[in-house]
DNA sequence: TGGCATGAGGTCTTATTAGACCTCGGTATT
DNA sequence: AATACCGAGGTCTAATAAGACCTCATGCCA
């Protein structure tokens, strides 16, 4: 029962994560090494299929070598 | 099976949320009106008892009238 | 052609969030 | 004393995140 608005947020967030990863020239598997998150899960995150938790977000930021709050610096829909 | 390190992160995060709420002079119930999150849940978040998801975090930010990324502007432990 | 890395996506179990509701002890305020 | 608000914390169900693992089609390159 995820709303259309929420889905839009997750899509924007995922696209942002993907952008950051590609900016660093990392593959899904390479990033997964750096943050202990399964590559398949990162793939799902980037596609807006998962509503990640704060701890996962912090882990992800570690792998991307950025501050966690930068992961939320995406343009919100609406 | 939440690690000590993760618990520390959640505690820092929760304290930050509480600080922001109090800065605005809002009670738990008042904040809950503004973001559709049960007051008891906000209480648990502030105490680091819950590992909230990104969507909840965005909702919380709405109630606090700030940008979501500001919610992650807390000093990380370690 | 064979080998290798990639992104995408499936499967399964377990742990936990989400969400809604209720209760309680403390602290005013009247 | 009665009322009202406060934070904290308990209860229950349903949904889903976490985590680990596997498969597959594609593209690339020796």
């Amino acid at each position: 029962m995820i709303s259309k608005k929420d889905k839009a947020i997750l899509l924007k967030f995922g696209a942002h994560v993907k952008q950051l990863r590609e900016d660093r020239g990392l593959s899904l598997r390479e990033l997964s090494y750096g943050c202990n998150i399964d590559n398949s899960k990162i793939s799902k995150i980037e596609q807006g299929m998962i509503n990640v938790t704060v701890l996962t977000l912090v882990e992800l930021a570690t792998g991307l070598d950025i501050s966690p709050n930068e992961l939320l610096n995406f343009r919100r829909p609406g």
Side-chain angles (χ1 to χ4, degrees), chain A residues 50-65:
Chain A
I50 295 182
N51 177 17
V52 295
T53 65
V54 172
L55 290 179
T56 298
L57 196 143
V58 169
E59 272 294 287
L60 210 46
T62 301
L64 289 167
D65 196 31

Side-chain angles (χ1 to χ4, degrees), chain A residues 1 4 9 16 23 26 28-29 31 38-39 43 47 51 53 62 66:
Chain A
M1 56 195 301
K4 189 164 291 192
I9 292 174
H16 184 55
D23 286 349
L26 297 173
L28 291 178
R29 284 170 178 81
L31 176 52
D38 193 277
N39 62 295
S43 172
Q47 290 170 90
N51 177 17
T53 65
T62 301
I66 58 177

Side-chain angles (χ1 to χ4, degrees), chain A residues 11-59:
Chain A
L11 285 172
K12 288 277 187 181
F13 171 70
H16 184 55
V17 171
K18 179 169 185 160
Q19 180 71 59
L20 289 167
R21 175 177 62 82
E22 292 180 341
D23 286 349
R24 286 156 181 72
L26 297 173
S27 71
L28 291 178
R29 284 170 178 81
E30 285 171 336
L31 176 52
S32 78
Y33 300 148
C35 62
N36 282 329
I37 299 174
D38 193 277
N39 62 295
S40 70
K41 185 171 169 181
I42 300 176
S43 172
K44 288 160 192 159
I45 292 171
E46 290 185 350
Q47 290 170 90
M49 295 170 70
I50 295 182
N51 177 17
V52 295
T53 65
V54 172
L55 290 179
T56 298
L57 196 143
V58 169
E59 272 294 287

